[in-house]
Amino acid sequence: MIRKTGLFFTVMMFLFTIIPFGTTVGAAGIPSFKVNLNASQVTVGDNVVVTIQGSNVTDLYGYEAVLTYDADRLEFNSVQSQSNGLINGYKIAQASGNQVTFANTKMGDKPGENGNLAICTLIFKAKQSGQANLTLTQMTTLTSQELPSIWNVNAQATVKINGTTPGPGGGGGGGTTTPSTNEDLGVYVPKESELRIETTQDGQTSVTAVIDSKRLAQKLADLQATGGSTVLSFEIPGERELTALQLPLPTLFDSLKDHKDTILSVRSHLGTYDLPMSILNQADFAGMAGVEGATLIIRIDKAKSLHETKFDQSISDKGMDRVSDMIDYKVILKTKDKEQEIHSFGNNFVTRVIQVDEIIQDSSAATAVVYDPATGEMKFVPSVFTVKGGKTEVKVIRNTNSLYAIVQNKKTFDDMIGHWAQQDVEQLASKMIINGTSDRMYTPEMQVTRAQFAALLVRGLGLSEEAGRSVFTDVADTQWYAPEVNTAAKYGLVQGVAEGQFSPDAQITREQMVVMMMKAIGLVKGTSVSNASATNAPFADQDLLSDYARSAVADAASKGLIQGKTATTFAPQDVATRAEAAVIIKRVLQYANLIN
């Protein structure tokens, strides 16, 4: 074993010269390597941060990386870090022509590194406009047992360089710039000086983009001047477990009047998070406009492995499979004195995108779920699945933050085979929105109570349940449906039948169900049933409609969300069945773009 510092040059000569290129020596697993850039486009004078990422790495004690690049447009600067500080021994960097060779090894009696690693980070300077290519052509790895392997990689990455003169502060600085006509005004690429890369005590790596207030103000002004996109995207570089965007609150408040409809979109390898600037109008932000140094932090973090293990154990008995990372989303208000996490956005439904590294063929048997590691409780979250480039993007829509994952689950019922509502019932059951009356039976013709339908709406919208004293005097706090009914009342989905009375156990009529349905759609869409363009329902028995239900039924019919019980009649006073309730819930969610 080579363990003495005096033998360093022996190790380096071994890496550079002894192993014949183009072959693989030894057997230390089958790792893979790729190149990640801090941004897809930069301006002349900016730094381009290149991270070499290894996956399935086993016992990495030393390595040599060979990288070629467009020398006309990029200038090699330095090596910033090595494997996040895990490999800190002796190193050699050689740059010649359009190639950089970097070698690094531990020294002493130390173990190698395992898993998914950011192996090394190299810094280039953008010097000419155009498209610049970088290619990791080869990796040589050395184990702690001196077993070498050569990997012909050919991993490529491309950066677009805009011909813009850097502003005050020079290349990589935090000054403002005058964008070129080719620059994407809807994308904010953090400069290297705005990035903070750290390693936590438990070994996780983190990157925080601390956005410069002047650059942000200029970017928002440029976005407004175009009169086009209302989305400003922030690209977080690398593939680290913890990612965060830190925005200056005073700058956001100064721009709020002109950007009330603007979405702040955070993009990282873990997915995206779209936060509307309109949330600054919430009570949580009251008084923050003039607080010096106040910041808004948006976090997208990979959950700790302990949480993933506990979650996987809890779903295995249910026949479910987790098919994505578990992602923890947080929005935090930070001042000099304290940090305050914002858990709820009221009536604002915020969009996130989780990446799944496989094609999910049947979205009806998959869903996003919210998970509480303290209680082990898991619930449905509205989610839409889209297949792109051999992977699946899952758009998660909810008005609160938490810990989310994507699971696959398939539920069927013996008494739904051949039933007209079979597809709708089994889809909602697979997504954990509705339950059977037993494990194998749904009982579709059973009638539904007002409390049961309110609970279905709350679950379908993914609303967090409201605990505490009941809103209605006839809804006891001890009843199973009390949290759901309270939540439905809070969001205006239900009203009482008399002062302080809800009649939770009364069977729900078809017109009552449609009224609740349209209020749910109005909540998500930000509209009101009272503004419905249709006032007369296209049914022969419309005179049987209650006054309070007339506009809701007419609006639902005009949107194609409901059908008559016969070809000409709606039967508004008839009691709804479990099959009808499931169909209505599915139509609500599809119309509101909350499921496929």
Side-chain angles (χ1 to χ4, degrees):
M1 295 293 290
I2 300 174
R3 290 291 180 268
K4 296 182 181 180
T5 57
L7 296 178
F8 164 63
F9 290 103
T10 303
V11 176
M12 291 296 101
M13 290 295 292
F14 183 67
L15 285 173
F16 277 105
T17 62
I18 293 180
I19 307 173
F21 287 95
T23 64
T24 300
V25 184
I30 307 178
S32 61
F33 305 93
K34 60 182 178 180
V35 179
N36 295 321
L37 304 182
N38 67 316
S40 59
Q41 62 176 316
V42 297
T43 57
V44 170
D46 284 349
N47 285 338
V48 178
V49 183
V50 180
T51 301
I52 297 176
Q53 186 82 21
S55 299
N56 194 31
V57 175
T58 303
D59 194 22
L60 182 65
Y61 187 83
Y63 63 86
E64 176 196 83
V66 180
L67 188 79
T68 61
Y69 62 97
D70 187 340
D72 292 331
R73 293 182 171 86
L74 295 172
E75 177 182 335
F76 174 65
N77 190 336
S78 64
V79 178
Q80 185 184 46
S81 62
Q82 298 78 43
S83 195
N84 298 303
L86 298 176
I87 298 180
N88 279 329
Y90 288 93
K91 50 186 177 287
I92 292 176
Q94 296 178 351
S96 177
N98 70 332
Q99 178 174 299
V100 174
T101 303
F102 177 72
N104 189 20
T105 181
K106 292 186 176 185
M107 296 299 293
D109 193 9
K110 299 177 182 178
E113 302 299 330
N114 299 284
N116 300 329
L117 305 174
I119 293 176
C120 62
T121 302
L122 302 95
I123 310 297
F124 293 81
K125 184 176 181 179
K127 64 179 184 178
Q128 182 177 316
S129 63
Q131 181 171 291
N133 299 316
L134 302 100
T135 303
L136 176 64
T137 61
Q138 184 173 272
M139 283 291 297
T140 303
T141 59
L142 183 70
T143 71
S144 60
Q145 302 299 314
E146 300 175 11
L147 296 175
S149 297
I150 291 181
W151 311 93
N152 294 317
V153 182
N154 195 33
Q156 299 180 349
T158 301
V159 61
K160 178 182 177 182
I161 303 174
N162 295 315
T164 305
T165 304
T176 61
T177 63
T178 302
S180 70
T181 56
N182 295 325
E183 184 179 357
D184 187 347
L185 299 180
V187 178
Y188 187 114
V189 180
K191 293 180 180 291
E192 190 246 334
S193 62
E194 295 174 282
L195 298 177
R196 295 178 184 173
I197 300 174
E198 301 171 318
T199 302
T200 64
Q201 291 182 347
D202 57 3
Q204 289 184 306
T205 58
S206 69
V207 56
T208 302
V210 183
I211 300 304
D212 179 80
S213 60
K214 291 183 178 179
R215 284 194 69 201
L216 178 59
Q218 183 64 55
K219 199 70 175 178
L220 287 169
D222 292 340
L223 192 67
Q224 182 189 8
T226 63
S229 174
T230 57
V231 177
L232 179 56
S233 299
F234 298 84
E235 296 187 350
I236 310 298
E239 294 196 6
R240 298 169 177 86
E241 294 96 336
L242 310 175
T243 60
L245 179 74
Q246 184 169 311
L247 298 161
L249 261 178
T251 305
L252 294 179
F253 275 112
D254 289 344
S255 305
L256 181 58
K257 181 179 179 181
D258 296 325
H259 290 274
K260 62 182 184 298
D261 297 323
T262 295
I263 302 295
L264 305 174
S265 181
V266 186
R267 300 179 184 175
S268 80
H269 77 287
L270 295 173
T272 65
Y273 187 105
D274 293 345
L275 189 69
M277 281 185 63
S278 59
I279 69 159
L280 298 177
N281 292 318
Q282 287 188 192
D284 294 312
F285 294 85
M288 298 295 292
V291 178
E292 183 179 356
T295 57
L296 175 67
I297 301 173
I298 304 172
R299 298 204 60 89
I300 308 176
D301 298 334
K302 187 178 183 297
K304 295 180 180 179
S305 58
L306 176 64
H307 291 159
E308 290 185 329
T309 300
K310 184 178 178 181
F311 178 81
D312 291 342
Q313 291 172 345
S314 70
I315 68 173
S316 62
D317 294 338
K318 300 179 178 68
M320 300 181 189
D321 294 313
R322 177 169 63 89
V323 293
S324 75
D325 289 329
M326 295 190 72
I327 310 297
D328 194 5
Y329 298 93
K330 292 181 180 179
V331 172
I332 301 168
L333 281 176
K334 183 179 180 180
T335 63
K336 294 180 180 178
D337 301 325
K338 65 177 181 179
E339 289 188 4
Q340 174 189 352
E341 186 174 348
I342 307 301
H343 294 283
S344 175
F345 304 121
N347 292 1
N348 289 306
F349 283 71
V350 175
T351 298
R352 313 147 184 84
V353 174
I354 297 177
Q355 303 285 349
V356 179
D357 291 331
E358 62 181 77
I359 294 177
I360 296 179
Q361 300 284 1
D362 184 7
S363 62
S364 68
T367 186
V369 295
V370 58
Y371 177 66
D372 185 346
T375 64
E377 190 175 28
M378 174 184 60
K379 294 183 179 180
F380 163 81
V381 176
S383 42
V384 177
F385 292 71
T386 304
V387 174
K388 288 185 178 180
K391 299 183 179 181
T392 305
E393 291 185 352
V394 184
K395 183 185 294 184
V396 180
I397 311 102
R398 197 168 186 241
N399 67 337
T400 58
N401 285 327
S402 196
L403 192 62
Y404 299 107
I406 311 303
V407 300
Q408 287 186 307
N409 180 40
K410 183 66 176 177
K411 184 67 177 176
T412 59
F413 298 104
D414 293 340
D415 61 348
M416 291 305 299
I417 297 175
H419 193 280
W420 62 270
Q422 178 181 358
Q423 183 179 359
D424 294 345
V425 167
E426 293 185 347
Q427 179 177 349
L428 297 193
S430 298
K431 292 180 179 292
M432 296 173 289
I433 299 172
I434 61 176
N435 300 312
T437 53
S438 70
D439 186 54
R440 299 300 309 170
M441 304 296 286
Y442 181 70
T443 320
E445 303 310 318
M446 180 182 290
Q447 295 176 336
V448 179
T449 68
R450 286 168 53 82
Q452 288 170 344
F453 190 75
L456 288 178
L457 271 183
V458 168
R459 289 181 214 156
L461 297 179
L463 300 175
S464 295
E465 297 172 2
E466 293 290 322
R469 189 172 182 83
S470 178
V471 175
F472 301 104
T473 58
D474 59 349
V475 177
D477 295 342
T478 55
Q479 292 291 340
W480 68 266
Y481 50 72
E484 284 94 343
V485 171
N486 288 340
T487 302
K490 173 184 175 180
Y491 288 98
L493 304 180
V494 300
Q495 292 177 327
V497 296
E499 186 174 351
Q501 301 287 308
F502 181 66
S503 295
D505 298 321
Q507 294 168 342
I508 193 168
T509 64
R510 285 167 55 83
E511 69 175 7
Q512 289 173 347
M513 190 166 60
V514 173
V515 170
M516 291 187 194
M517 165 194 191
M518 297 310 294
K519 287 182 177 179
I521 290 175
L523 173 65
V524 178
K525 296 284 190 179
T527 59
S528 173
V529 173
S530 62
N531 295 328
S533 58
T535 57
N536 293 316
F539 301 112
D541 59 350
Q542 63 172 315
D543 290 342
L544 298 179
L545 286 165
S546 301
D547 290 340
Y548 72 87
R550 193 172 300 278
S551 62
V553 172
D555 195 23
S558 69
K559 290 179 168 62
L561 296 172
I562 60 173
Q563 295 174 337
K565 204 162 187 178
T566 70
T568 58
T569 62
F570 179 65
Q573 305 305 325
D574 283 8
V575 176
T577 66
R578 283 169 55 82
E580 290 173 331
V583 171
I584 286 293
I585 294 296
K586 180 181 175 182
R587 288 176 183 172
V588 168
L589 300 183
Q590 286 184 325
Y591 185 81
N593 297 318
L594 298 182
I595 62 172
N596 291 83

